[in-house]
Every structure is written in structure tokens, then in C-alpha cells.
Amino acid sequence: DILVTKNDVFTGDELRAALNIPELSDEAKAHPFYGKNALFVGDSISYGSYDTPPTYSNPSASWARRLALTTGLIPTNVSYPGASVGKTGLSNVKWEYDLLKTAMMTTKTFDIIVFQGGVNDARKNVAAGTALPADTDRKVLVEEDRVATFAGGLQLMFHDAKAQWPEAELYYVANFKLVDESVKGKNMEDYFAQARILCAEYGVHYIDLYNDVELYETFDYTSNEILPDLIHPTSASYDILFP
């Protein structure tokens, strides 16, 4: 396969033109996200593996594409299918911190950073770990046994993102529930308990899809129509989740 891209990120206007979508409304142009540069760091759900159009030709799928089209936000989506928050040491599993680091190595400034992850940690039996206070020395945060845990990986990302872009608004998306057999115990509460602590420590907005009772009235996470493989949303399912 050959992939042809441009080196610069797509603006909202370019993305709408490419997808033949009408101009933003005046209401959308008044949105606080309008014209803001946003970075998305996560796994296949943040990447949009089952979203349409195919994400290999559209680098701004999932939440990134929908925010760009509805608010004029300018997305950079470095999410990667199979990525984990904790460092597994497996050659075939991307570490989310490495995805963040690629963005940190550029000169680009981001106004918004959206993190998502934990599903692949559960699938790979990564330990939940323990959150530490935000004033913990970075030398402790990068210790091998810490970054090998979910809490350790997430804390390192929060710490370094805040240091790199101190004015940015940070968000963490706690994934909707999963019943696929590959997710350990079918319960991710241990991970999200640590994520909530870290979000409070670092002033990160916590978007809780996992415990959203109203969401599950319209989003049946046990249905193959909603999640064909009981993990990945279709484009129609993203539309349910997005608001």
C-alpha cells in the first residue's frame, strides 16, 4: 500500500473540503475550540479504526475528525491501534508516551490535548499501578517499574505534556465498558480509579464514558451492531458517543 500525505496537519477548512462537508455555522465558529490546535494521543478507539472514511487516508478520524468538523478545531491525531498506556516491552505494542514524544519533538504548540487509553493495558494484563503526587521528581516517574504500569505511564504523559505546553487544556477519556473476553475481568475500574486521581492532581478534565448511565441508554456496548468486535465503534457508534 502507498500512503500519500501532506507534512502539515489538516485545517478544519481543508478537512471539510476534502470530505465535501458544508461550511461551519456561525455558532460553530463561536465555539471555544474554534481555530485551536489539538493533539490526540491514544489507542485504536482514539485513532478510529472502524470509523469511516478509512483512517489510513484520513489522519483525523474518531473524536478528532468530529471536533474539527463541528468546531473548527485543528487536529493532530497521533493515536495508534494497539497502543498501551503502560510500557509493555513488547515489540508489537506501541507505548503511548512514545506517541506523545513524537509531538513533543516538533515546534508545534497545542492548545488542547486529549488522552485516551487503557483497553490494551487490560488486554495485556498491565498492572494498574499507583498514582503519585504531581510534585514527584521526574526521576521517579521514569523508573522502569513505574512506566510498566498504567498509572505510571499516564502520569509521565501528564507531567511532560504540562511541562511542554503549560497553557494547554488537558483531557482524559475513560473508555466505555467492554465485554470482549480479551479484556481482563471485563472491568477497567482499577485503571480508571488511578486515572481519576491523576486527573485531579494535574488539573486534567476527566471525561467518564465508563460510568455514563445516560450514554448506555442509547449505546449498547454488548451489541455487535454497536461494536462489531465488542471493542471498536463503527462510524455510527462514534456519532452516538461523540456528544
Side-chain angles (χ1 to χ4, degrees):
D1 293 337
I2 298 175
L3 171 65
V4 180
T5 68
K6 55 180 286 185
N7 288 330
D8 296 326
V9 299
F10 288 95
T11 65
D13 289 337
E14 289 173 324
L15 189 59
R16 283 188 296 278
L19 300 177
N20 197 27
I21 292 174
E23 179 65 23
L24 280 174
S25 66
D26 290 339
E27 181 182 7
K29 290 181 178 179
H31 194 282
F33 288 174
Y34 181 76
K36 298 289 182 68
N37 287 310
L39 175 67
F40 296 80
V41 184
D43 53 24
S44 58
I45 294 170
S46 178
Y47 174 84
S49 288
Y50 282 30
D51 197 4
T52 55
T55 53
Y56 285 108
S57 61
N58 173 14
S60 301
S62 186
W63 325 120
R65 176 164 69 92
R66 284 162 177 76
L67 283 167
L69 297 174
T70 57
T71 72
L73 170 152
I74 303 168
T76 299
N77 193 353
V78 298
S79 302
Y80 194 90
S84 63
V85 176
K87 188 175 183 179
T88 67
L90 300 172
S91 60
N92 63 336
V93 178
K94 291 279 188 181
W95 185 27
E96 285 195 21
Y97 180 78
D98 282 340
L99 303 176
L100 173 66
K101 191 163 61 176
T102 63
M104 292 174 59
M105 292 172 66
T106 71
T107 58
K108 192 170 184 62
T109 296
F110 292 102
D111 306 297
I112 298 167
I113 305 170
V114 181
F115 295 96
Q116 182 166 6
V119 171
N120 294 304
D121 295 75
R123 299 178 75 184
K124 301 296 181 183
N125 296 320
V126 173
T130 304
L132 297 178
D135 59 0
T136 302
D137 193 297
R138 190 177 183 278
K139 292 180 180 179
V140 176
L141 300 184
V142 297
E143 290 176 355
E144 187 175 346
D145 60 339
R146 277 202 54 78
V147 298
T149 69
F150 170 83
L154 190 62
Q155 182 158 12
L156 183 60
M157 287 198 292
F158 285 176
H159 178 279
D160 283 9
K162 294 283 282 188
Q164 181 92 355
W165 304 291
E167 302 301 317
E169 290 284 327
L170 272 58
Y171 295 79
Y172 175 77
V173 180
N175 205 77
F176 49 85
K177 293 180 180 179
L178 294 171
V179 295
D180 180 78
E181 290 294 338
S182 65
V183 178
K184 182 181 66 175
K186 303 179 185 177
N187 184 335
M188 296 184 62
E189 185 56 44
D190 289 347
Y191 297 98
F192 296 145
Q194 298 304 316
R196 285 193 295 272
I197 294 171
L198 288 170
C199 286
E201 281 285 326
Y202 287 88
V204 177
H205 302 284
Y206 186 78
I207 302 176
D208 192 356
L209 300 183
Y210 191 80
N211 293 300
D212 191 332
V213 176
E214 291 184 9
L215 169 66
Y216 294 130
E217 293 177 359
T218 55
F219 184 86
D220 182 0
Y221 61 91
T222 67
S223 167
N224 290 104
E225 291 185 10
I226 297 293
L227 303 172
D229 60 354
L230 298 180
I231 295 177
H232 298 96
T234 62
S235 187
S237 300
Y238 275 111
D239 291 342
I240 297 173
L241 290 164
F242 176 63

